[in-house]
CSV table of all heavy atoms in Angstrom, one decimal:
chain,number,residue,atom,x,y,z
G,1348,MET,N,0.8,-1.2,0.0
G,1348,MET,CA,0.0,0.0,0.0
G,1348,MET,C,0.9,1.2,0.0
G,1348,MET,O,1.3,1.7,1.1
G,1348,MET,CB,-0.9,0.0,1.2
G,1348,MET,CG,-1.5,1.3,1.6
G,1348,MET,SD,-2.8,1.2,2.8
G,1348,MET,CE,-1.9,1.7,4.3
G,1349,PRO,N,1.2,1.8,-1.2
G,1349,PRO,CA,2.0,3.0,-1.2
G,1349,PRO,C,1.2,4.2,-0.8
G,1349,PRO,O,0.1,4.4,-1.1
G,1349,PRO,CB,2.5,3.1,-2.6
G,1349,PRO,CG,1.5,2.4,-3.4
G,1349,PRO,CD,0.9,1.3,-2.5
G,1350,THR,N,1.9,5.1,0.0
G,1350,THR,CA,1.4,6.4,0.3
G,1350,THR,C,2.4,7.4,-0.3
G,1350,THR,O,3.6,7.4,0.0
G,1350,THR,CB,1.3,6.7,1.8
G,1350,THR,OG1,0.4,5.7,2.3
G,1350,THR,CG2,0.7,8.1,2.0
G,1351,ILE,N,1.9,8.2,-1.2
G,1351,ILE,CA,2.7,9.1,-2.0
G,1351,ILE,C,2.4,10.6,-1.6
G,1351,ILE,O,1.3,11.0,-1.7
G,1351,ILE,CB,2.5,9.0,-3.5
G,1351,ILE,CG1,2.8,7.5,-3.9
G,1351,ILE,CG2,3.4,9.9,-4.3
G,1351,ILE,CD1,2.2,7.1,-5.2
G,1352,HIS,N,3.5,11.3,-1.0
G,1352,HIS,CA,3.3,12.6,-0.6
G,1352,HIS,C,3.9,13.6,-1.7
G,1352,HIS,O,5.0,13.4,-2.1
G,1352,HIS,CB,4.1,12.9,0.7
G,1352,HIS,CG,3.6,12.1,1.9
G,1352,HIS,ND1,2.7,12.7,2.8
G,1352,HIS,CD2,3.7,10.8,2.2
G,1352,HIS,CE1,2.4,11.8,3.7
G,1352,HIS,NE2,3.0,10.6,3.4
G,1353,VAL,N,3.1,14.6,-2.1
G,1353,VAL,CA,3.5,15.5,-3.1
G,1353,VAL,C,3.3,16.9,-2.5
G,1353,VAL,O,2.2,17.3,-2.1
G,1353,VAL,CB,2.7,15.4,-4.4
G,1353,VAL,CG1,3.2,16.4,-5.4
G,1353,VAL,CG2,2.8,14.0,-4.9
G,1354,GLU,N,4.4,17.7,-2.5
G,1354,GLU,CA,4.4,19.1,-2.1
G,1354,GLU,C,4.6,19.9,-3.4
G,1354,GLU,O,5.5,19.6,-4.1
G,1354,GLU,CB,5.4,19.4,-1.1
G,1354,GLU,CG,5.2,18.6,0.2
G,1354,GLU,CD,6.2,18.9,1.3
G,1354,GLU,OE1,6.9,19.9,1.2
G,1354,GLU,OE2,6.3,18.1,2.2
G,1355,MET,N,3.8,20.9,-3.6
G,1355,MET,CA,3.9,21.8,-4.7
G,1355,MET,C,3.3,23.1,-4.4
G,1355,MET,O,2.6,23.3,-3.4
G,1355,MET,CB,3.1,21.2,-5.9
G,1355,MET,CG,1.7,20.9,-5.7
G,1355,MET,SD,1.0,20.0,-7.1
G,1355,MET,CE,-0.6,19.7,-6.5
G,1356,PHE,N,3.7,24.1,-5.2
G,1356,PHE,CA,3.2,25.4,-5.0
G,1356,PHE,C,1.7,25.4,-5.2
G,1356,PHE,O,1.1,24.7,-6.1
G,1356,PHE,CB,3.8,26.4,-6.0
G,1356,PHE,CG,5.3,26.7,-5.7
G,1356,PHE,CD1,6.2,26.7,-6.8
G,1356,PHE,CD2,5.7,26.9,-4.5
G,1356,PHE,CE1,7.5,27.0,-6.5
G,1356,PHE,CE2,7.1,27.1,-4.2
G,1356,PHE,CZ,7.9,27.2,-5.2
G,1357,GLU,N,1.0,26.2,-4.4
G,1357,GLU,CA,-0.5,26.4,-4.5
G,1357,GLU,C,-0.8,27.0,-5.9
G,1357,GLU,O,0.0,27.6,-6.5
G,1357,GLU,CB,-1.0,27.2,-3.4
G,1357,GLU,CG,-0.5,28.6,-3.4
G,1357,GLU,CD,-1.0,29.4,-2.1
G,1357,GLU,OE1,-1.7,28.9,-1.3
G,1357,GLU,OE2,-0.5,30.6,-2.0
G,1358,GLY,N,-2.0,26.8,-6.3
G,1358,GLY,CA,-2.5,27.5,-7.5
G,1358,GLY,C,-3.0,26.5,-8.6
G,1358,GLY,O,-3.6,27.0,-9.6
G,1359,ARG,N,-2.9,25.2,-8.3
G,1359,ARG,CA,-3.4,24.3,-9.3
G,1359,ARG,C,-4.9,24.2,-9.2
G,1359,ARG,O,-5.4,24.3,-8.1
G,1359,ARG,CB,-2.8,22.9,-9.1
G,1359,ARG,CG,-1.5,22.6,-9.8
G,1359,ARG,CD,-0.4,23.6,-9.6
G,1359,ARG,NE,0.8,23.2,-10.2
G,1359,ARG,CZ,2.0,23.3,-9.6
G,1359,ARG,NH1,2.1,23.8,-8.3
G,1359,ARG,NH2,3.1,23.0,-10.2
G,1360,THR,N,-5.6,24.0,-10.3
G,1360,THR,CA,-7.0,23.8,-10.2
G,1360,THR,C,-7.4,22.4,-9.7
G,1360,THR,O,-6.5,21.5,-9.7
G,1360,THR,CB,-7.6,24.0,-11.6
G,1360,THR,OG1,-7.2,22.9,-12.5
G,1360,THR,CG2,-7.3,25.3,-12.2
G,1361,LEU,N,-8.6,22.3,-9.3
G,1361,LEU,CA,-9.1,21.0,-8.9
G,1361,LEU,C,-9.0,20.0,-10.0
G,1361,LEU,O,-8.6,18.8,-9.8
G,1361,LEU,CB,-10.6,21.1,-8.4
G,1361,LEU,CG,-11.2,19.9,-7.7
G,1361,LEU,CD1,-10.3,19.5,-6.5
G,1361,LEU,CD2,-12.6,20.2,-7.3
G,1362,GLU,N,-9.3,20.4,-11.2
G,1362,GLU,CA,-9.2,19.4,-12.4
G,1362,GLU,C,-7.7,19.0,-12.6
G,1362,GLU,O,-7.5,17.8,-12.8
G,1362,GLU,CB,-9.7,20.1,-13.6
G,1362,GLU,CG,-9.7,19.2,-14.8
G,1362,GLU,CD,-10.5,17.9,-14.7
G,1362,GLU,OE1,-11.5,17.9,-13.9
G,1362,GLU,OE2,-10.0,16.8,-15.2
G,1363,GLN,N,-6.8,19.9,-12.4
G,1363,GLN,CA,-5.4,19.5,-12.6
G,1363,GLN,C,-5.0,18.5,-11.5
G,1363,GLN,O,-4.3,17.6,-11.8
G,1363,GLN,CB,-4.5,20.7,-12.4
G,1363,GLN,CG,-4.5,21.7,-13.7
G,1363,GLN,CD,-3.7,23.0,-13.4
G,1363,GLN,OE1,-3.9,23.6,-12.4
G,1363,GLN,NE2,-2.9,23.3,-14.4
G,1364,LYS,N,-5.5,18.7,-10.3
G,1364,LYS,CA,-5.2,17.8,-9.2
G,1364,LYS,C,-5.8,16.5,-9.4
G,1364,LYS,O,-5.2,15.4,-9.2
G,1364,LYS,CB,-5.6,18.4,-7.8
G,1364,LYS,CG,-4.8,19.6,-7.4
G,1364,LYS,CD,-5.4,20.1,-6.1
G,1364,LYS,CE,-4.6,21.3,-5.6
G,1364,LYS,NZ,-5.1,21.8,-4.3
G,1365,ARG,N,-7.0,16.4,-9.9
G,1365,ARG,CA,-7.7,15.2,-10.3
G,1365,ARG,C,-6.8,14.4,-11.3
G,1365,ARG,O,-6.6,13.2,-11.1
G,1365,ARG,CB,-9.1,15.4,-10.9
G,1365,ARG,CG,-10.1,15.6,-9.8
G,1365,ARG,CD,-11.5,15.6,-10.5
G,1365,ARG,NE,-12.5,16.2,-9.6
G,1365,ARG,CZ,-13.0,17.4,-9.8
G,1365,ARG,NH1,-12.7,18.2,-10.8
G,1365,ARG,NH2,-13.9,17.8,-8.9
G,1366,GLU,N,-6.4,15.0,-12.3
G,1366,GLU,CA,-5.7,14.4,-13.4
G,1366,GLU,C,-4.3,13.9,-12.9
G,1366,GLU,O,-3.8,12.8,-13.2
G,1366,GLU,CB,-5.4,15.3,-14.6
G,1366,GLU,CG,-6.7,15.6,-15.4
G,1366,GLU,CD,-6.5,16.6,-16.5
G,1366,GLU,OE1,-5.3,16.5,-17.1
G,1366,GLU,OE2,-7.4,17.3,-16.9
G,1367,PHE,N,-3.7,14.7,-12.0
G,1367,PHE,CA,-2.4,14.4,-11.5
G,1367,PHE,C,-2.5,13.1,-10.6
G,1367,PHE,O,-1.7,12.2,-10.7
G,1367,PHE,CB,-1.8,15.6,-10.7
G,1367,PHE,CG,-0.5,15.4,-10.2
G,1367,PHE,CD1,0.6,15.1,-11.0
G,1367,PHE,CD2,-0.2,15.5,-8.8
G,1367,PHE,CE1,1.9,15.0,-10.6
G,1367,PHE,CE2,1.1,15.4,-8.4
G,1367,PHE,CZ,2.2,15.1,-9.2
G,1368,VAL,N,-3.4,13.1,-9.6
G,1368,VAL,CA,-3.5,11.9,-8.7
G,1368,VAL,C,-3.9,10.7,-9.5
G,1368,VAL,O,-3.5,9.6,-9.2
G,1368,VAL,CB,-4.5,12.2,-7.5
G,1368,VAL,CG1,-3.9,13.3,-6.7
G,1368,VAL,CG2,-5.9,12.4,-7.9
G,1369,LYS,N,-4.7,10.8,-10.6
G,1369,LYS,CA,-5.0,9.7,-11.4
G,1369,LYS,C,-3.8,9.2,-12.1
G,1369,LYS,O,-3.6,7.9,-12.1
G,1369,LYS,CB,-6.1,10.1,-12.5
G,1369,LYS,CG,-6.5,9.0,-13.3
G,1369,LYS,CD,-7.6,9.4,-14.3
G,1369,LYS,CE,-8.0,8.2,-15.2
G,1369,LYS,NZ,-8.9,8.6,-16.3
G,1370,ALA,N,-3.0,10.0,-12.6
G,1370,ALA,CA,-1.7,9.6,-13.3
G,1370,ALA,C,-0.7,9.0,-12.3
G,1370,ALA,O,-0.1,7.9,-12.6
G,1370,ALA,CB,-1.1,10.8,-14.0
G,1371,ILE,N,-0.6,9.5,-11.1
G,1371,ILE,CA,0.3,8.9,-10.1
G,1371,ILE,C,-0.2,7.6,-9.7
G,1371,ILE,O,0.5,6.6,-9.6
G,1371,ILE,CB,0.3,9.8,-8.9
G,1371,ILE,CG1,1.1,11.1,-9.2
G,1371,ILE,CG2,1.0,9.1,-7.7
G,1371,ILE,CD1,1.1,12.2,-8.1
G,1372,THR,N,-1.5,7.4,-9.5
G,1372,THR,CA,-2.1,6.2,-9.1
G,1372,THR,C,-1.9,5.1,-10.2
G,1372,THR,O,-1.5,4.0,-9.9
G,1372,THR,CB,-3.6,6.3,-8.8
G,1372,THR,OG1,-3.8,7.2,-7.8
G,1372,THR,CG2,-4.2,5.0,-8.4
G,1373,GLU,N,-2.1,5.5,-11.5
G,1373,GLU,CA,-1.9,4.6,-12.6
G,1373,GLU,C,-0.4,4.1,-12.7
G,1373,GLU,O,-0.2,3.0,-12.9
G,1373,GLU,CB,-2.4,5.2,-13.9
G,1373,GLU,CG,-3.9,5.3,-14.0
G,1373,GLU,CD,-4.3,6.1,-15.2
G,1373,GLU,OE1,-3.5,6.7,-15.9
G,1373,GLU,OE2,-5.6,6.2,-15.4
G,1374,ALA,N,0.5,5.1,-12.4
G,1374,ALA,CA,1.9,4.7,-12.4
G,1374,ALA,C,2.3,3.7,-11.3
G,1374,ALA,O,3.0,2.8,-11.5
G,1374,ALA,CB,2.8,6.0,-12.3
G,1375,ALA,N,1.7,4.0,-10.1
G,1375,ALA,CA,2.0,3.0,-9.0
G,1375,ALA,C,1.4,1.6,-9.3
G,1375,ALA,O,2.1,0.6,-9.0
G,1375,ALA,CB,1.4,3.6,-7.7
G,1376,VAL,N,0.2,1.6,-9.9
G,1376,VAL,CA,-0.4,0.3,-10.2
G,1376,VAL,C,0.5,-0.4,-11.2
G,1376,VAL,O,0.8,-1.6,-11.1
G,1376,VAL,CB,-1.8,0.5,-10.8
G,1376,VAL,CG1,-2.4,-0.8,-11.4
G,1376,VAL,CG2,-2.7,1.0,-9.7
G,1377,LYS,N,0.9,0.3,-12.2
G,1377,LYS,CA,1.7,-0.3,-13.3
G,1377,LYS,C,3.1,-0.8,-12.8
G,1377,LYS,O,3.6,-1.9,-13.2
G,1377,LYS,CB,1.9,0.7,-14.5
G,1377,LYS,CG,2.7,0.2,-15.6
G,1377,LYS,CD,2.8,1.2,-16.7
G,1377,LYS,CE,3.7,0.7,-17.9
G,1377,LYS,NZ,3.9,1.7,-18.9
G,1378,THR,N,3.8,0.1,-12.1
G,1378,THR,CA,5.2,-0.2,-11.7
G,1378,THR,C,5.3,-1.0,-10.4
G,1378,THR,O,6.3,-1.8,-10.3
G,1378,THR,CB,6.0,1.1,-11.6
G,1378,THR,OG1,5.4,1.9,-10.6
G,1378,THR,CG2,6.1,1.8,-12.9
G,1379,LEU,N,4.4,-0.9,-9.5
G,1379,LEU,CA,4.5,-1.6,-8.2
G,1379,LEU,C,3.6,-2.7,-8.1
G,1379,LEU,O,3.7,-3.5,-7.1
G,1379,LEU,CB,4.2,-0.5,-7.1
G,1379,LEU,CG,5.1,0.7,-7.0
G,1379,LEU,CD1,4.7,1.6,-5.9
G,1379,LEU,CD2,6.6,0.3,-6.9
G,1380,GLY,N,2.6,-2.9,-9.0
G,1380,GLY,CA,1.7,-4.0,-8.9
G,1380,GLY,C,0.6,-3.7,-7.8
G,1380,GLY,O,0.0,-4.7,-7.4
G,1381,SER,N,0.4,-2.5,-7.4
G,1381,SER,CA,-0.6,-2.2,-6.4
G,1381,SER,C,-2.0,-2.1,-7.1
G,1381,SER,O,-2.1,-2.0,-8.3
G,1381,SER,CB,-0.3,-0.8,-5.9
G,1381,SER,OG,1.0,-0.7,-5.3
G,1382,SER,N,-3.0,-2.3,-6.2
G,1382,SER,CA,-4.3,-2.1,-6.7
G,1382,SER,C,-4.6,-0.6,-6.5
G,1382,SER,O,-4.1,0.1,-5.6
G,1382,SER,CB,-5.3,-2.9,-5.9
G,1382,SER,OG,-5.4,-2.4,-4.6
G,1383,PRO,N,-5.4,0.0,-7.4
G,1383,PRO,CA,-5.7,1.4,-7.3
G,1383,PRO,C,-6.3,1.8,-5.9
G,1383,PRO,O,-6.0,2.9,-5.4
G,1383,PRO,CB,-6.8,1.6,-8.4
G,1383,PRO,CG,-6.6,0.5,-9.4
G,1383,PRO,CD,-6.1,-0.6,-8.6
G,1384,GLU,N,-7.0,0.9,-5.3
G,1384,GLU,CA,-7.6,1.2,-4.0
G,1384,GLU,C,-6.6,1.2,-2.9
G,1384,GLU,O,-6.9,1.8,-1.8
G,1384,GLU,CB,-8.7,0.1,-3.7
G,1384,GLU,CG,-9.9,0.1,-4.6
G,1384,GLU,CD,-9.6,-0.6,-6.0
G,1384,GLU,OE1,-8.6,-1.4,-6.0
G,1384,GLU,OE2,-10.3,-0.3,-6.9
G,1385,SER,N,-5.4,0.7,-3.1
G,1385,SER,CA,-4.4,0.7,-2.1
G,1385,SER,C,-3.4,1.9,-2.2
G,1385,SER,O,-2.6,2.1,-1.3
G,1385,SER,CB,-3.6,-0.6,-2.1
G,1385,SER,OG,-2.7,-0.6,-3.3
G,1386,VAL,N,-3.6,2.7,-3.2
G,1386,VAL,CA,-2.7,3.8,-3.4
G,1386,VAL,C,-3.2,5.1,-2.8
G,1386,VAL,O,-4.3,5.6,-3.2
G,1386,VAL,CB,-2.4,4.1,-4.9
G,1386,VAL,CG1,-1.5,5.3,-5.1
G,1386,VAL,CG2,-1.8,2.8,-5.6
G,1387,ASP,N,-2.5,5.7,-1.9
G,1387,ASP,CA,-2.9,7.0,-1.3
G,1387,ASP,C,-2.0,8.1,-1.8
G,1387,ASP,O,-0.8,7.9,-1.9
G,1387,ASP,CB,-2.8,6.9,0.3
G,1387,ASP,CG,-3.8,6.0,0.9
G,1387,ASP,OD1,-5.0,6.0,0.5
G,1387,ASP,OD2,-3.5,5.3,1.8
G,1388,VAL,N,-2.6,9.2,-2.2
G,1388,VAL,CA,-1.8,10.3,-2.6
G,1388,VAL,C,-2.2,11.5,-1.7
G,1388,VAL,O,-3.4,11.8,-1.7
G,1388,VAL,CB,-2.1,10.7,-4.1
G,1388,VAL,CG1,-1.3,11.9,-4.5
G,1388,VAL,CG2,-1.8,9.5,-5.0
G,1389,ILE,N,-1.2,12.1,-1.1
G,1389,ILE,CA,-1.5,13.3,-0.3
G,1389,ILE,C,-0.8,14.5,-0.9
G,1389,ILE,O,0.4,14.5,-1.1
G,1389,ILE,CB,-0.9,13.1,1.1
G,1389,ILE,CG1,-1.5,11.8,1.8
G,1389,ILE,CG2,-1.1,14.3,2.0
G,1389,ILE,CD1,-0.9,11.4,3.1
G,1390,LEU,N,-1.7,15.5,-1.3
G,1390,LEU,CA,-1.2,16.7,-1.9
G,1390,LEU,C,-1.1,17.8,-0.9
G,1390,LEU,O,-2.1,18.0,-0.1
G,1390,LEU,CB,-2.1,17.1,-3.0
G,1390,LEU,CG,-2.4,16.2,-4.1
G,1390,LEU,CD1,-3.4,16.7,-5.1
G,1390,LEU,CD2,-1.1,15.8,-4.9
G,1391,THR,N,0.0,18.5,-0.8
G,1391,THR,CA,0.2,19.6,0.1
G,1391,THR,C,0.5,20.8,-0.7
G,1391,THR,O,1.5,20.9,-1.4
G,1391,THR,CB,1.3,19.3,1.1
G,1391,THR,OG1,1.0,18.2,1.8
G,1391,THR,CG2,1.5,20.5,2.1
G,1392,ASP,N,-0.4,21.8,-0.7
G,1392,ASP,CA,-0.2,23.1,-1.3
G,1392,ASP,C,0.7,24.0,-0.4
G,1392,ASP,O,0.4,24.1,0.7
G,1392,ASP,CB,-1.5,23.8,-1.6
G,1392,ASP,CG,-2.2,23.2,-2.8
G,1392,ASP,OD1,-1.6,22.5,-3.6
G,1392,ASP,OD2,-3.5,23.4,-2.9
C-alpha cells in the first residue's frame, strides 16, 4: 500500500489535481503492482 506525498506550489485547479492523482495512481499500479484502491496520494499546497 504505497502512500505518496507531493508538495507543490499552490495554485493548481481541482481538475489539474484530479488528473495528477489519477496519473500517479496509474503509475503506481503499473510499476509496483498495487491495486488502485491501495494507493494513497497526499497533496500539500
Side-chain angles (χ1 to χ4, degrees):
M1348 162 170 101
T1350 300
I1351 302 161
H1352 295 260
V1353 179
E1354 295 181 19
M1355 59 187 173
F1356 291 137
E1357 62 185 357
R1359 272 53 175 221
T1360 66
L1361 191 56
E1362 183 56 33
Q1363 288 173 314
K1364 290 179 182 182
R1365 278 190 195 106
E1366 289 180 33
F1367 186 58
V1368 298
K1369 182 178 178 185
I1371 291 173
T1372 300
E1373 289 171 354
V1376 168
K1377 179 180 177 182
T1378 60
L1379 302 176
S1381 303
S1382 68
E1384 297 78 20
S1385 71
V1386 179
D1387 291 319
V1388 180
I1389 300 171
L1390 302 177
T1391 303
D1392 285 339

